[in-house]
Amino acid sequence: MSRIFLIRHGQAGLRHDYDTLSSLGQQQASLLGEWFRSERIQFDHVFAGNRKRQIETARIAVGSPDLHDGFTEFDLDIVYEGMAPHLCRDDEQFNREYHQMLDDMKADDAPVHRQWNRCDALVFQAWHSGRYEMEGESWLQFKSRVLDTLDLIRSMDSGKDIAVFTSATPIGLILAEVLGAADEHAMQMAGASYNSAVSVLHLRDGKPRMAGFNSVAHISDPALRTLR
């Protein structure tokens, strides 16, 4: 039996520089590495997506990863660029809230940097449903790219421990596929995922089974547990 550890990146930067790790995110990654060592977990292979926050989390926790685009999170900035102009045109309330959010983002200590808000939800929903045409990756293309990694996971040699440093949405999609659940459940799992949390798949005879979800056993101080 092999074990695949799906690990969300540590806390990221502010909205205007999200693809970094905050100082807290670096601390979370360091604590994760200490926990793996204390549990005597040594990885036979380490993967990460192409986002800087994913790669840095891996490097701090266990070392340099091999990059695999299937584990790369979608780019929310690009989704906003594609969806927000249409929503601003069609939804007056969104238009007001969106421009208020842009104004609030000017302050580094504003709560908007650490919250998933109504604008985010509406932009994501428009992208997920294909409501508007846009340049860049569609939801269906993103989902297909992520789920293609299951072929890689199923091919893992028996008895191996594999680390995958990725993000909340790929983790949600992979686990939902393993459980036979819908996109709605994938997004619920993504929304509940803590920064640097560990979810585990057991692989037996090429079939992955969910063995753990969203563990932050490495973070004993509740003040260091974050969702965004």
Side-chain angles (χ1 to χ4, degrees), residues 61-133:
V62 298
S64 295
D66 289 332
L67 304 187
H68 192 295
D69 192 50
F71 299 118
T72 304
E73 180 67 288
F74 71 90
D75 191 325
L76 184 59
D77 288 340
I78 290 177
V79 174
Y80 256 98
E81 289 173 8
M83 297 294 115
H86 298 289
L87 288 167
C88 284
R89 180 194 65 212
D90 296 342
D91 185 332
E92 291 184 7
Q93 183 177 355
F94 176 89
N95 186 41
R96 291 193 301 272
E97 293 177 358
Y98 174 63
H99 286 93
Q100 182 62 57
M101 182 183 74
L102 294 179
D103 191 52
D104 291 344
M105 284 169 54
K106 296 174 183 177
D108 287 351
D109 60 350
V112 69
H113 292 290
R114 298 300 174 197
Q115 295 173 348
W116 181 264
N117 60 33
R118 183 174 177 272
C119 287
D120 298 328
L122 290 175
V123 163
F124 179 84
Q125 289 165 9
W127 180 58
H128 180 270
S129 67
R131 181 177 175 183
Y132 304 108
E133 291 187 5

Side-chain angles (χ1 to χ4, degrees), residues 93-224:
Q93 183 177 355
F94 176 89
N95 186 41
R96 291 193 301 272
E97 293 177 358
Y98 174 63
H99 286 93
Q100 182 62 57
M101 182 183 74
L102 294 179
D103 191 52
D104 291 344
M105 284 169 54
K106 296 174 183 177
D108 287 351
D109 60 350
V112 69
H113 292 290
R114 298 300 174 197
Q115 295 173 348
W116 181 264
N117 60 33
R118 183 174 177 272
C119 287
D120 298 328
L122 290 175
V123 163
F124 179 84
Q125 289 165 9
W127 180 58
H128 180 270
S129 67
R131 181 177 175 183
Y132 304 108
E133 291 187 5
M134 60 168 279
E135 294 185 9
E137 191 174 45
S138 70
W139 166 260
L140 291 178
Q141 290 170 331
F142 166 68
K143 180 179 177 180
S144 176
R145 172 169 62 77
V146 170
L147 294 185
D148 280 347
T149 64
L150 283 168
D151 290 335
L152 172 66
I153 290 171
R154 294 187 185 102
S155 71
M156 299 295 180
D157 293 335
S158 178
K160 302 295 185 181
D161 281 341
I162 311 297
V164 173
F165 288 83
T166 180
S167 296
T169 320
I171 291 171
L173 283 170
I174 290 170
L175 294 180
E177 183 71 10
V178 168
L179 294 171
D183 285 358
E184 176 185 356
H185 300 101
M187 297 316 300
Q188 288 178 7
M189 286 188 280
S193 183
Y194 286 105
N195 292 120
S196 75
V198 179
S199 298
V200 182
L201 295 174
H202 284 172
L203 183 69
R204 190 187 300 273
D205 297 327
K207 186 172 183 177
R209 299 179 184 273
M210 184 170 165
F213 173 64
N214 205 28
S215 171
V216 284
H218 56 290
I219 302 179
S220 58
D221 183 353
L224 302 182

